[in-house]
């Protein structure tokens, strides 16, 4: 970036969805802000699309593991075109390229965002920007799951909220790797969705006797690792159904309740355990080479095993409606924030 460019950028304005309180985006405003200026090793991206993820819902409620000083722009990932570089070889080489990207700093629900060049993945010409916008956070989460499965030598796994986008990705990856997976859902239509994907082992918690069925499947398949996005009493119910020395990795809190129904006997006498799994520290401890491999694999599989369904696209001015639609039917697919839109689709 030349000496004049920061001055030019700072004189321009962009529109952004800004929250002034952690209140589920009930009082957000679309504001004009100066274009952010990329520092050394960073790039300025013209945002094409950014999805609403469960982590975003937790963030705007103030329940996420990271809080930013208010007011702030939400959003953790997106897609777009690199408009400017703050300096550095990698950042310079990205200028003009279409990328998928993620950030832990100021968010992506805006016309422009500044992120580290290392958090950008160039996308192929034939990959559309809507698909690319959803190609990192959830897919990387599932790739971490697959690493855990290999590291623990799990013969079979359990997945709660299995009709979610992460749940479907995990199912497809397990099929690819020939790993049996028990899929837990809570509605009949979600059972149908998974059956259409070819799922064999499905447990519907709205049906009588589901706990016995889960235990039977866990015993038969020797499922010793579970990925739980729900929490609440379901965490303890899953743990109770699993064989000795099993582990439940809690990565979400869709129930909005603390993990419960956990038997001390399972922990003390049967060697079972419950722990958290958060993507951010998993990525931070990965080597540069490993992170490069994972992010590129995530983008490569974005139209296959790690594909995302999209149920709607919303403008910045209708963020509240976008959040509501996503929360009311997460299994229908992602909702995208598209800053350039003036009407919703």
């Amino acid at each position: 970036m030349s000496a004049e460019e920061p001055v030019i950028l700072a004189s321009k304005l962009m529109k952004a969805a800004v929250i002034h309180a952690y209140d589920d985006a009930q009082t957000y405003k679309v504001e004009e802000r100066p274009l952010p200026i990329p520092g050394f090793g960073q790039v300025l991206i013209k945002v094409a699309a950014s999805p609403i993820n469960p982590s975003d819902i937790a963030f705007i409620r103030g329940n996420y593991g990271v809080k930013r000083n208010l007011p702030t722009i939400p959003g953790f990932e997106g897609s777009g075109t690199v408009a400017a570089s703050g300096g550095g070889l990698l950042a310079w080489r990205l200028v003009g390229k279409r990328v998928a990207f993620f950030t832990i700093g100021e968010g992506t629900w805006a016309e422009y965002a500044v992120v580290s060049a290392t958090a950008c993945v160039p996308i192929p010409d034939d990959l559309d920007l809507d698909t690319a916008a959803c190609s990192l956070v959830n897919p990387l989460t599932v790739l971490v799951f697959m690493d855990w499965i290999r590291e623990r030598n799990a013969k079979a796994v359990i997945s709660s909220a299995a009709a979610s986008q992460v749940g479907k990705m995990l199912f497809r990856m397990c099929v690819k790797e020939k790993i049996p997976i028990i899929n837990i859902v809570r509605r009949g239509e979600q059972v149908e969705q998974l059956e259409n994907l070819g799922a064999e082992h499905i447990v519907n918690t709205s049906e009588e006797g589901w706990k016995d069925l889960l235990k039977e499947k866990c015993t038969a398949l020797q499922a010793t690792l579970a990925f739980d996005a729900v929490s609440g009493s379901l965490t303890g119910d899953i743990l109770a159904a699993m064989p000795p020395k099993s582990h439940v990795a809690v990565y979400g809190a869709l129930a909005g309740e603390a993990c419960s129904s956990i038997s001390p006997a399972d922990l003390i006498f049967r060697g079972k355990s419950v722990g958290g799994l958060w993507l951010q520290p998993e990525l931070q401890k990965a080597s540069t080479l490993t992170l490069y491999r994972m992010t590129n694999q995530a983008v490569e599989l974005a139209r296959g095993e790690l594909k995302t369904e999209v149920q709607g696209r919303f403008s910045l001015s209708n963020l509240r409606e976008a959040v509501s639609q996503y929360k009311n039917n997460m299994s229908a697919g992602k909702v995208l924030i598209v800053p350039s839109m003036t009407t919703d689709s």
Side-chain angles (χ1 to χ4, degrees):
M1 182 180 294
S2 68
E4 295 82 9
E5 282 184 282
V7 177
I8 295 173
L9 290 177
S11 67
K12 296 184 176 181
L13 298 175
M14 70 170 186
K15 291 181 179 179
V18 181
I19 60 170
H20 291 258
Y22 288 113
D23 60 358
D24 219 8
Q26 291 304 302
T27 57
Y28 90 99
K29 297 178 181 177
V30 176
E31 299 178 1
E32 285 196 337
R33 285 190 161 194
L35 243 62
I37 300 172
F40 185 84
Q42 294 180 322
V43 293
L44 175 70
I45 296 175
K46 181 175 175 58
V47 179
S50 177
I52 301 175
N53 289 315
S55 54
D56 296 304
I57 300 299
F59 177 80
I60 61 179
R61 288 174 174 168
N63 296 331
Y64 195 59
V66 170
K67 281 190 175 182
R68 302 175 190 148
N69 293 329
L70 295 173
T72 189
I73 303 169
F76 288 113
E77 72 172 328
S79 64
T81 302
V82 176
S85 158
L89 180 61
L90 179 57
W92 175 78
R93 288 172 64 91
L94 287 172
V95 173
K97 287 187 167 51
R98 299 160 70 247
V99 297
F101 66 95
F102 62 91
T103 179
I104 58 174
E106 192 86 302
T108 58
W109 296 354
E111 291 181 320
Y112 289 85
V114 163
V115 303
S116 169
T118 59
C120 297
V121 183
I123 60 175
D125 293 338
D126 59 350
L127 183 64
D128 66 273
L129 288 165
D130 281 4
T131 300
C134 309
S135 66
L136 290 178
V137 171
N138 282 353
L140 286 172
T141 298
V142 173
L143 292 178
V144 168
F145 289 174
M146 300 309 295
D147 284 342
W148 276 45
I149 292 170
R150 284 186 286 268
E151 290 168 3
R152 293 170 180 266
N153 197 28
K155 294 179 180 179
V157 299
I158 303 166
S159 170
S160 71
S164 68
Q165 296 304 299
V166 168
K168 291 174 181 175
M169 289 179 192
L170 179 58
F171 169 75
R172 289 189 290 261
M173 288 297 292
C174 284
V175 169
K176 180 181 180 181
E177 299 294 331
K178 297 180 171 57
I179 299 166
I181 179 170
I182 301 168
N183 303 276
I184 301 176
V185 296
R186 60 187 179 93
R187 296 198 304 268
E189 60 266 32
Q190 294 171 331
V191 172
E192 185 177 349
Q193 288 178 32
L194 291 170
E195 286 177 339
N196 290 338
L197 290 178
E200 179 181 357
H201 306 288
I202 306 173
V203 175
N204 183 352
T205 59
S206 67
E207 294 182 350
E208 188 176 347
W210 72 268
K211 293 181 184 179
D212 292 333
L213 177 60
L214 178 59
K215 188 172 183 64
E216 288 173 12
K217 289 184 176 293
C218 288
T219 301
L221 298 173
Q222 285 297 289
T224 56
L225 180 59
F227 299 103
D228 179 23
V230 178
S231 70
S233 61
L234 183 62
T235 305
D237 292 335
I238 293 173
L239 192 70
M242 299 172 76
K245 301 188 185 305
S246 294
H247 181 75
V248 177
V250 180
Y251 71 97
L254 295 177
E257 301 171 359
C259 298
S260 61
S261 302
I262 298 170
S263 166
D266 276 338
L267 303 178
I268 299 168
F269 304 120
R270 300 181 188 100
K272 302 182 187 181
S273 57
V274 178
L277 197 168
W278 184 18
L279 179 62
Q280 186 171 315
E282 292 289 327
L283 297 181
Q284 288 174 339
K285 71 182 183 183
S287 68
T288 302
L289 183 60
T290 297
L291 188 58
Y292 176 83
R293 173 187 62 80
M294 291 176 67
T295 53
N296 279 272
Q297 183 182 11
V299 171
E300 287 170 9
L301 297 178
R303 287 167 295 188
E305 287 82 5
L306 299 179
K307 68 181 178 181
T308 299
E309 298 156 352
V310 174
Q311 62 169 303
R313 305 166 82 247
F314 286 79
S315 61
L316 288 171
S317 60
N318 284 326
L319 174 62
R320 193 176 298 108
E321 291 80 0
V323 169
S324 177
Q325 178 167 322
Y326 178 62
K327 287 193 300 183
N328 289 334
N329 196 0
M330 290 185 177
S331 61
K334 289 297 178 190
V335 168
L336 298 180
I337 304 300
V338 182
S340 63
M341 283 183 62
T342 55
T343 58
D344 302 327
S345 64

